[in-house]
Amino acid sequence: MAPPERPAAVPRDPTRVVIEGVAPEIDAGRFPAKRVVGESLEVEADVFTDGHDLVAAALWVRPPGDEPTVEHAMVPLGNDRWSSTVVPDRLGRWAFTVVGWVDRFGTWRHGTLRKVEAGQDVDVELQIGAELVRAAAGRAKGPDATLLADVASVLEEGDADGITADGLEAAMRRWASREPLVRYGRTLEVVVERERAGHGAWYEFFPRSASPDPDRHGTLADAADRLPYVASMGFDVVYLPPIHPIGREFRKGPNNSVTSAPGDLGSPWGIGAEEGGHTAVHPELGTLDDLDAFVARASSLGMEVALDIAFQCAPDHPWVTEHPEWFRHRPDGTIQYAENPPKKYQDIYPIDFESEDWEALWDALADVVRFWIGHGVTIFRVDNPHTKPFRFWEWLIASIQADHPEAIFLSEAFTRPKVMHQLAKAGFSQSYTYFAWRQSAWELREYFTELTTPPLVDAFRPNAWPNTPDILTEQLQHGGRPVFVQRLVLAATLSANYGIYGPAFELVAHRAVAPGSEEYLDSEKYQRRVWDLDAPHSLRHLIARVNDIRRSHPALLQNRTLRFHPTDNEQLLCYSKTDPAGGVPVLVVVNVDPHHRQSGFVHLDLETLGVDPHHRYEVHDLLGAARYSWEGSANYVELDPEVLPAHIFAIGRPSRSESDFEHFA
Amino acid sequence: MAPPERPAAVPRDPTRVVIEGVAPEIDAGRFPAKRVVGESLEVEADVFTDGHDLVAAALWVRPPGDEPTVEHAMVPLGNDRWSSTVVPDRLGRWAFTVVGWVDRFGTWRHGTLRKVEAGQDVDVELQIGAELVRAAAGRAKGPDATLLADVASVLEEGDADGITADGLEAAMRRWASREPLVRYGRTLEVVVERERAGHGAWYEFFPRSASPDPDRHGTLADAADRLPYVASMGFDVVYLPPIHPIGREFRKGPNNSVTSAPGDLGSPWGIGAEEGGHTAVHPELGTLDDLDAFVARASSLGMEVALDIAFQCAPDHPWVTEHPEWFRHRPDGTIQYAENPPKKYQDIYPIDFESEDWEALWDALADVVRFWIGHGVTIFRVDNPHTKPFRFWEWLIASIQADHPEAIFLSEAFTRPKVMHQLAKAGFSQSYTYFAWRQSAWELREYFTELTTPPLVDAFRPNAWPNTPDILTEQLQHGGRPVFVQRLVLAATLSANYGIYGPAFELVAHRAVAPGSEEYLDSEKYQRRVWDLDAPHSLRHLIARVNDIRRSHPALLQNRTLRFHPTDNEQLLCYSKTDPAGGVPVLVVVNVDPHHRQSGFVHLDLETLGVDPHHRYEVHDLLGAARYSWEGSANYVELDPEVLPAHIFAIGRPSRSESDFEHFA
């Protein structure tokens, strides 16, 4: 590889406008930023020149496809910062850049008006202005051409009224010379995805446990019958673990034992057997038709289905014999199984992305995704993406979205921060997070501040899960029902995307396989479970309430406006989200101590909440239904975890009567 | 200009290593970072890959000229961050980039050792390792080739001792395959300037006032006789305002009056008259020979001369007739004078950088700089650079430094922050600052924290001036001698480069031309002044002491280690600088209230100071000469502005006796 280039001589360039500090820009434009349809894209840039001349700037936006580039004027924010906001209205990769120029007309107008005010002779200035306007008239079309020619004549006659002629500024904005126009050095991109990429409530469950008959393996048909229950809790996305044939060689037994008995079901992530691989349905679950019916049933209930993409193979996966070159062979001729020395995972063969045949391999993997898209599934939860090359995901997601911009990919990576961020930058629509292990108020404040501010907010969309089949935190094991409620509220209100693994979650399942382990006892990863969905301790109605609050409060369905407010009790976490479209602000107070009643004052940033500090305002607890009349920044809160560990307040505008308040509650 | 490019399809790239977040990197490599010879350049980068494989990284550095690229190993800092430090040893533009690769041997060694520890069979692993080592042996030269071939044989024989064979790791670091090597996407640059760019104490004075005879105009010869006085105060750089012929048309009178009487001297910045322009010496000051003698005299006293570069012309500058195309003509045929409507500066014609003849103009301006370099001057204080195009300066400075890397340029811009920063990024070695107007403790903390941390610290070298001929702050007008002492100590210890305009400063000149004005009464910009250098109230001996402290404490001669320490009295500003080379740390405490004695505790970050928190340590006031024995973080300080408003402490290592302390004091 060549050594660093020798520094080139600095070229002569007579242009004067500087454009820099453009945002959003991720790693100097190496990766696109993310938005969803209808979400604002505010582009900012530093634009300035030397001396006293005024500048002007514009945002150039190229929509996907063959649509022409559109120019949007930028407005100054002060301190040489300029801004323009567009709202992307279609899916795909948008391109944008910023242009700037010396505003010669504006500079002339400003200076000449100052001279007129000071009573100075402006005869020569009027001639200078006339030249500018006359030149623009020559370029102008339609009524502008006439107007500009007329004003030029007025100025040529020495009449200072021409400076402030009606319509002159607007016409000059359209037709004045911008030479030499300066363009920002890079074209930046934004991937615009559909609304569901931006927000959603997810519910994961194992079809194998969906049978109404405790003695029978659940099927996709049983799972379809479970969907009304899931819909009743208000979820948007139903996510199924892998539905493919499960390998028999080295199959794991219950509780992850390394040997299995006949009849043991194995892990759905041990993908592939003689019945087929990544595009087949496990015979015990049913057929492709059953899957189609499941997808249709979910759709009829207003939900979407997410499938699991786990690019790894059981030893008896058909690819192992059909494409041995896609696996790493050891000097003794055996295929390298997964390992993290000294741990061995002999039931899993990793795919060898350094295979000589990598291009065909990549195509085959992309075809798996396309296959399921062909069956109406466009949301994919990707298992362990951090063990495959980042550039593979970047290519895969871009390739799929080029044809199917509606496809959504969730990264299931729980690893080092830079690796997780890289996967998000490489294109994953959403990402699992450290949420499960961020439990104190300061940890949650720090982490969600990082997630909801640049640079992360433009690339990384958190999907917060209190539990998963792999994660039963020590807090959930020992905190009882209050901690399940607390964690549900936190996930659902801190993050526009969140999910639970059920029915374990709503049934408060909390027994681990061993002390110090985060694995569930009798985990569904390795066996069927029978769940009593009607158990009286179920959180299903509370979950339904929380999801209903989310749906009726757009403030909760995005992350960018999340703000934390100080409290004088560190066990009380207080935060708000405001709706960029002007809907009701939501204020959440959570007692993060599951064991004791906690009380104290919250100190609200009223400006953020849009509350007039000089008037009383109403807060309505959407969870507990109480209403309070508050005043000023400091307000008292008391939360008993045994009753409800959280308030989710709708914040009222200053109001005089209950009825004024009703309209937005 | 073309619209934004349509997003390209994401290419297929099978490489797995990510390199990003490289520092120092200014605006994605658009501008070089800055260092001086002998100053450390620590390059950091995020380097990682997918999965569990280890990676390795190296820094490639290309020195200026034809020297070959040198590789430096990078070491992991944790959290996927890697670092390598080089110390540039010559002037010029250096290039560097970062490379990374999957460390297959390291990954194999780590995993195999874990398996051996766990008592697992590693027969196949030894064969895998043997292949890696055998391949490296084929590439190796010298003793490494033998060693690697021998170890490969040991491994092939199934002997696990081969894994830990002496010298194997080091030899594999040299010869193991790096394929596929990944290189960071950009080559970055560092401009390495000479030591004087990094630190210096500047003294500005007007030769016109240097005459020993109060009735006679001062000359360069008089100014040369003033040099021993300047040297006695310990300054490094003597800066003279423009020494060129002064225009006669529209010449300003004393105190900036718009009319001048015969015999009025005019402003040195009104450059050019029939006697010549930017390469001529004002006849009243003397000749080019006198300038040469002045430069030689300064050099013999250990000082350098800085000249003023003010690219503007008086109406009678020779260029106005020789090159009328370099000035802007108005429709009435007159030349556009400088203005900021409604203010007019009819004594100054700005140069028109948008001239059709701009290339010849740029060459002529560069020739001015080369002319004075030819007379032994390599430091230039550039007047109002922000009214000329940034790209002009970028070209000019790079062009001059290509032939004369010893040339140093100080930007005299007091304008909006982004404009000042852009000039620094464009190449100015040093920059004037807002220091004069940052007077409270919190303002100084905030401003100097910004200046001494990335991104600014890599581009912008502050040169802090308490006063200039244009700036007599209200604080200096009314604060008396205590404020002069305070501001001197702040400038000299907060900033590695600082300067004063004398003799006005050391003689505590504080009368403004009018209430609310920052202009000096009877400013030397428009007339001669007579100064009594031996006045008993002169600060010359205190200044000499401060400059002596600087010279003997390298910690003060750089900015990067500046750290502020909390105090419990907001009138006490406390900060330290540590010497990267391990010299004595310096701790400064300043009472920023010039009117009252202030006392309180400072709370030191002892780790930053390298002080053992469990032992007493000595602090020696280099300014007041007192010594104190301190312990722990919190220590009491009391400062009376009428005595001395500041401590400049040398911090002792834990010591048992006075003599231990002496060696570094």
Side-chain angles (χ1 to χ4, degrees):
Chain A
M1 192 165 285
E5 299 83 8
R6 193 182 308 283
V10 171
R12 294 187 185 215
D13 179 342
T15 62
R16 294 173 49 208
V17 172
V18 172
I19 302 175
E20 61 181 22
V22 177
E25 179 183 278
I26 298 174
D27 294 357
R30 167 70 181 82
F31 299 104
K34 293 188 173 79
R35 289 295 186 276
V36 295
V37 163
E39 182 184 5
S40 289
L41 171 69
E42 182 183 7
V43 176
E44 291 190 3
D46 296 332
V47 185
F48 54 91
T49 189
D50 58 277
H52 304 295
D53 285 351
L54 302 183
V55 296
L59 169 65
W60 283 1
V61 178
R62 178 171 203 146
D66 296 327
E67 295 294 312
T69 294
V70 177
E71 173 172 309
H72 302 262
M74 298 187 84
V75 296
L77 302 176
N79 193 26
D80 295 314
R81 193 88 179 140
W82 293 71
S83 169
S84 183
T85 297
V86 296
V87 181
D89 59 359
R90 83 190 65 172
L91 305 182
R93 289 174 92 94
W94 294 58
F96 66 93
T97 196
V98 172
V99 295
W101 61 94
V102 174
D103 180 4
R104 295 182 198 282
F105 173 77
T107 303
W108 168 83
R109 184 178 191 278
H110 177 85
T112 306
L113 285 174
R114 292 298 82 72
K115 291 174 185 176
V116 169
E117 279 167 21
Q120 295 176 7
D121 175 17
V122 293
D123 281 355
V124 179
E125 277 70 18
L126 294 179
Q127 297 315 310
I128 293 171
E131 286 177 18
L132 293 171
V133 176
R134 181 69 69 195
R139 277 183 294 272
K141 294 191 172 68
D144 281 344
T146 315
L147 182 144
L148 291 169
D150 290 350
V151 174
S153 300
V154 171
L155 293 169
E156 280 156 6
E157 287 157 18
D159 183 348
D161 285 347
I163 308 170
T164 52
D166 280 351
L168 175 61
E169 273 193 285
M172 286 299 282
R173 234 180 337 259
R174 286 187 284 272
W175 300 108
S177 168
R178 296 175 174 185
E179 290 303 314
L181 189 69
V182 172
R183 180 172 158 182
Y184 181 58
R186 289 184 278 279
T187 292
L188 304 176
E189 292 181 23
V190 184
V191 169
V192 176
E193 296 180 284
R194 63 193 173 98
E195 199 183 355
R196 183 54 65 231
H199 66 86
W202 290 47
Y203 185 84
E204 172 178 7
F205 76 100
F206 283 78
R208 60 166 55 167
S209 301
S211 165
D213 174 356
D215 297 326
R216 182 170 64 70
H217 192 285
T219 64
L220 285 172
D222 298 327
D225 289 339
R226 175 72 58 85
L227 287 173
Y229 163 81
V230 178
S232 76
M233 289 186 281
F235 286 100
D236 304 301
V237 178
V238 177
Y239 151 53
L240 301 184
I243 58 171
H244 316 302
I246 295 173
R248 293 179 181 84
E249 284 185 45
F250 292 99
R251 178 180 281 192
K252 293 286 179 71
N255 289 310
N256 199 22
S257 70
V258 292
T259 55
S260 61
D264 283 349
L265 302 180
S267 162
W269 284 275
I271 295 171
E274 58 181 299
E275 298 88 349
H278 283 80
T279 53
V281 173
H282 189 35
E284 291 199 72
L285 291 177
T287 64
L288 274 172
D289 287 344
D290 294 328
L291 189 269
D292 293 342
F294 181 85
V295 171
R297 183 78 172 275
S299 180
S300 74
L301 291 161
M303 297 188 295
E304 281 193 70
V305 174
L307 287 185
D308 198 293
I309 293 288
F311 283 146
Q312 57 191 19
C313 296
D316 33 343
H317 190 294
W319 282 351
V320 175
T321 45
E322 292 167 11
H323 295 285
E325 67 279 11
W326 292 353
F327 302 89
R328 181 165 298 158
H329 292 262
R330 289 154 47 101
D332 63 352
T334 60
I335 291 180
Q336 178 66 59
Y337 47 78
E339 57 178 12
N340 190 6
K343 291 189 197 163
K344 305 176 177 186
Y345 307 96
Q346 287 159 301
D347 58 329
I348 298 293
Y349 286 173
I351 290 170
D352 181 15
F353 282 85
E354 292 174 327
S355 162
E356 293 285 329
D357 193 38
W358 63 274
E359 290 183 278
L361 168 67
W362 287 24
D363 284 333
L365 298 175
D367 284 345
V368 169
V369 177
R370 289 184 207 278
F371 179 87
W372 295 111
I373 290 175
H375 284 271
V377 176
T378 54
I379 308 184
F380 301 96
R381 178 270 199 195
V382 178
D383 191 71
N384 272 347
H386 56 292
T387 59
K388 290 93 188 170
F390 304 105
R391 285 181 178 273
F392 164 71
W393 295 118
E394 189 178 2
W395 168 82
L396 177 87
I397 295 170
S399 302
I400 298 292
Q401 288 187 337
D403 303 329
H404 300 284
E406 71 279 14
I408 292 172
F409 296 84
L410 166 61
S411 160
E412 187 260 353
F414 295 102
T415 179
R416 308 188 311 281
K418 285 171 187 167
V419 172
M420 292 173 67
H421 302 164
Q422 186 71 19
L423 289 163
K425 291 192 287 191
F428 278 94
S429 318
Q430 304 180 356
S431 308
Y432 280 66
T433 70
Y434 302 138
F435 168 72
W437 304 281
R438 296 294 178 271
Q439 299 167 359
S440 68
W442 75 264
E443 286 173 321
L444 288 161
R445 270 198 306 272
E446 198 165 276
Y447 187 48
F448 277 87
T449 298
E450 182 190 8
L451 293 179
T452 57
T453 51
L456 271 191
V457 71
D458 287 314
F460 186 102
R461 291 198 194 96
N463 195 330
W465 291 63
N467 75 328
T468 76
D470 294 309
I471 303 170
L472 174 67
T473 60
E474 202 175 331
Q475 188 194 33
L476 290 175
Q477 294 173 35
H478 304 298
R481 177 191 166 95
V483 88
F484 278 74
V485 177
Q486 176 214 119
R487 298 300 293 178
L488 175 81
V489 170
L490 287 168
T493 59
L494 281 169
S495 180
N497 285 290
Y498 90 104
I500 59 171
Y501 152 54
F505 189 87
E506 67 263 27
L507 296 180
V508 196
H510 64 279
R511 292 183 63 196
V513 69
S517 170
E518 290 192 338
E519 288 281 337
Y520 278 92
L521 176 67
D522 299 334
S523 169
E524 286 181 284
K525 289 194 294 182
Y526 310 106
Q527 65 187 80
R528 295 196 293 118
R529 290 287 296 272
V530 176
W531 301 103
D532 176 8
L533 302 184
D534 297 320
H537 66 278
S538 171
L539 299 175
R540 59 184 288 193
H541 298 296
L542 183 87
I543 293 169
R545 180 79 191 121
V546 168
N547 282 333
D548 184 56
I549 291 168
R550 283 171 49 95
R551 287 192 179 184
S552 51
H553 291 82
L556 294 173
L557 302 181
Q558 49 80 48
N559 297 320
R560 212 170 275 267
T561 66
L562 177 67
R563 294 293 178 277
F564 291 94
H565 303 262
T567 71
D568 54 16
N569 178 341
E570 184 58 12
Q571 298 296 331
L572 295 176
L573 180 67
C574 179
Y575 52 93
S576 65
K577 285 185 169 180
T578 50
D579 177 12
V584 181
V586 175
L587 179 78
V588 182
V589 188
V590 178
N591 174 3
V592 296
D593 172 4
H595 305 297
H596 304 97
R597 171 154 52 185
Q598 296 286 349
S599 62
F601 279 84
V602 297
H603 299 274
L604 306 179
D605 175 351
L606 297 180
E607 193 178 334
T608 288
L609 297 171
V611 167
D612 180 342
H614 305 298
H615 289 90
R616 298 192 70 81
Y617 55 99
E618 310 276 337
V619 300
H620 174 196
D621 189 347
L622 303 165
L623 202 58
R627 289 165 192 268
Y628 306 93
S629 176
W630 281 4
E631 186 169 4
S633 167
N635 290 284
Y636 180 79
V637 172
E638 183 175 306
L639 286 164
D640 182 345
E642 293 297 330
V643 183
L644 263 182
H647 292 302
I648 305 177
F649 289 124
I651 300 283
R653 308 282 188 241
S655 68
R656 295 283 164 264
S657 72
E658 189 74 357
S659 62
D660 281 351
F661 182 71
E662 285 299 330
H663 81 276
F664 64 81
Chain B
M1 192 166 289
E5 300 81 8
R6 191 182 313 283
V10 170
R12 293 189 185 214
D13 179 342
T15 62
R16 295 173 49 209
V17 172
V18 172
I19 303 175
E20 61 182 22
V22 178
E25 178 183 279
I26 298 173
D27 293 359
R30 167 70 181 83
F31 299 103
K34 292 189 174 79
R35 290 294 185 278
V36 296
V37 164
E39 183 183 5
S40 289
L41 170 69
E42 182 183 5
V43 176
E44 291 190 3
D46 296 332
V47 185
F48 53 91
T49 189
D50 57 276
H52 303 296
D53 286 351
L54 304 182
V55 296
L59 169 65
W60 283 1
V61 178
R62 179 172 203 146
D66 295 327
E67 296 294 313
T69 294
V70 177
E71 173 173 308
H72 301 262
M74 298 187 84
V75 295
L77 302 176
N79 193 26
D80 295 315
R81 193 90 180 136
W82 294 70
S83 168
S84 185
T85 297
V86 295
V87 181
D89 59 359
R90 82 190 67 173
L91 304 183
R93 289 174 93 95
W94 294 58
F96 67 93
T97 195
V98 172
V99 294
W101 61 96
V102 174
D103 179 5
R104 295 183 197 282
F105 172 77
T107 303
W108 168 84
R109 184 178 191 276
H110 178 83
T112 306
L113 286 175
R114 293 296 83 73
K115 291 175 185 176
V116 170
E117 280 167 20
Q120 295 176 5
D121 174 16
V122 294
D123 282 354
V124 178
E125 278 70 18
L126 296 179
Q127 298 314 311
I128 294 172
E131 285 176 19
L132 293 171
V133 175
R134 181 70 68 195
R139 276 185 295 272
K141 293 191 174 67
D144 281 344
T146 315
L147 182 145
L148 291 169
D150 290 349
V151 174
S153 300
V154 170
L155 293 169
E156 280 155 8
E157 287 157 19
D159 182 347
D161 285 348
I163 309 170
T164 51
D166 279 352
L168 174 61
E169 274 194 283
M172 287 299 283
R173 234 182 335 261
R174 286 187 286 270
W175 300 108
S177 168
R178 295 177 174 182
E179 290 304 312
L181 189 70
V182 172
R183 181 173 157 179
Y184 180 59
R186 288 185 279 279
T187 293
L188 304 175
E189 292 180 24
V190 183
V191 169
V192 176
E193 296 181 284
R194 61 191 172 101
E195 200 184 354
R196 183 56 63 233
H199 65 85
W202 290 48
Y203 185 84
E204 172 179 6
F205 76 100
F206 283 79
R208 59 166 54 165
S209 300
S211 166
D213 174 357
D215 297 327
R216 182 169 65 69
H217 191 286
T219 65
L220 285 172
D222 298 325
D225 290 338
R226 173 73 57 86
L227 288 173
Y229 164 81
V230 178
S232 76
M233 289 186 280
F235 286 98
D236 304 302
V237 179
V238 177
Y239 152 52
L240 302 183
I243 58 171
H244 316 301
I246 295 172
R248 293 181 179 83
E249 283 185 46
F250 292 100
R251 177 180 282 193
K252 294 284 178 69
N255 288 308
N256 199 21
S257 71
V258 293
T259 54
S260 62
D264 283 348
L265 302 180
S267 162
W269 284 274
I271 295 171
E274 59 180 298
E275 298 88 346
H278 283 78
T279 52
V281 172
H282 189 36
E284 291 199 71
L285 291 177
T287 64
L288 275 172
D289 288 343
D290 294 327
L291 189 270
D292 294 342
F294 181 85
V295 170
R297 183 76 174 274
S299 180
S300 74
L301 291 162
M303 298 189 294
E304 282 194 66
V305 174
L307 287 185
D308 198 292
I309 293 289
F311 283 147
Q312 58 190 18
C313 297
D316 33 344
H317 190 294
W319 282 350
V320 175
T321 44
E322 293 166 12
H323 296 284
E325 67 278 13
W326 292 353
F327 302 88
R328 181 164 297 158
H329 292 261
R330 289 154 47 100
D332 64 351
T334 61
I335 291 181
Q336 178 66 60
Y337 48 77
E339 58 179 11
N340 188 7
K343 290 189 197 165
K344 305 177 179 186
Y345 307 96
Q346 287 158 299
D347 57 330
I348 299 292
Y349 285 174
I351 289 170
D352 181 14
F353 282 85
E354 292 174 327
S355 161
E356 293 286 328
D357 193 38
W358 63 273
E359 291 184 277
L361 168 66
W362 287 25
D363 285 333
L365 298 175
D367 284 345
V368 169
V369 177
R370 289 184 206 278
F371 180 86
W372 296 111
I373 289 175
H375 284 272
V377 176
T378 55
I379 308 184
F380 301 95
R381 177 271 197 193
V382 178
D383 192 70
N384 272 344
H386 56 291
T387 59
K388 291 95 189 170
F390 304 104
R391 285 181 178 273
F392 164 70
W393 295 119
E394 190 179 3
W395 169 84
L396 177 85
I397 294 171
S399 302
I400 296 293
Q401 288 187 336
D403 302 328
H404 300 284
E406 71 280 13
I408 292 173
F409 295 85
L410 165 61
S411 159
E412 188 261 352
F414 295 102
T415 179
R416 310 188 309 282
K418 286 170 187 168
V419 173
M420 291 173 66
H421 302 166
Q422 186 71 20
L423 289 163
K425 292 192 287 192
F428 278 94
S429 319
Q430 306 181 355
S431 307
Y432 279 65
T433 71
Y434 301 139
F435 167 73
W437 304 282
R438 296 294 177 271
Q439 298 167 1
S440 69
W442 75 265
E443 287 173 320
L444 288 162
R445 269 197 307 271
E446 198 165 277
Y447 186 48
F448 276 88
T449 297
E450 183 190 9
L451 293 180
T452 57
T453 51
L456 270 193
V457 71
D458 287 314
F460 186 101
R461 291 200 195 96
N463 195 329
W465 291 64
N467 76 328
T468 76
D470 294 309
I471 303 169
L472 174 68
T473 61
E474 203 175 332
Q475 188 195 32
L476 289 176
Q477 293 173 36
H478 304 299
R481 176 191 167 95
V483 87
F484 278 73
V485 177
Q486 176 215 121
R487 298 300 292 178
L488 174 80
V489 170
L490 287 168
T493 59
L494 281 169
S495 179
N497 284 290
Y498 90 104
I500 60 171
Y501 152 53
F505 189 86
E506 68 264 27
L507 296 179
V508 197
H510 62 278
R511 293 183 64 194
V513 70
S517 169
E518 290 192 338
E519 288 280 338
Y520 279 91
L521 176 68
D522 300 334
S523 169
E524 285 180 285
K525 291 194 293 183
Y526 309 106
Q527 65 186 81
R528 293 197 293 119
R529 290 287 296 272
V530 176
W531 301 103
D532 175 9
L533 302 185
D534 297 319
H537 66 279
S538 171
L539 299 175
R540 60 184 287 194
H541 298 296
L542 183 88
I543 293 168
R545 180 82 191 121
V546 168
N547 282 334
D548 184 55
I549 291 169
R550 282 171 50 95
R551 288 193 177 184
S552 51
H553 291 82
L556 293 172
L557 302 182
Q558 49 81 48
N559 297 320
R560 211 169 275 265
T561 66
L562 178 67
R563 295 293 177 277
F564 290 94
H565 303 262
T567 71
D568 55 15
N569 178 342
E570 183 58 11
Q571 298 297 329
L572 295 177
L573 180 67
C574 178
Y575 51 94
S576 65
K577 285 186 170 181
T578 50
D579 177 13
V584 181
V586 175
L587 178 78
V588 182
V589 189
V590 179
N591 173 4
V592 296
D593 171 4
H595 304 298
H596 304 96
R597 173 156 48 188
Q598 296 286 349
S599 61
F601 280 84
V602 295
H603 299 273
L604 305 180
D605 175 350
L606 297 181
E607 194 179 335
T608 289
L609 298 172
V611 168
D612 180 345
H614 305 300
H615 288 92
R616 298 193 70 81
Y617 53 99
E618 311 275 337
V619 300
H620 174 197
D621 189 346
L622 304 165
L623 203 58
R627 289 162 192 270
Y628 305 94
S629 177
W630 282 4
E631 187 169 4
S633 167
N635 290 284
Y636 180 79
V637 172
E638 183 175 307
L639 287 164
D640 181 346
E642 292 297 331
V643 183
L644 263 182
H647 292 303
I648 305 178
F649 288 125
I651 300 282
R653 310 283 188 240
S655 68
R656 295 283 165 264
S657 72
E658 187 75 358
S659 63
D660 282 353
F661 181 73
E662 284 300 329
H663 81 279
F664 64 81

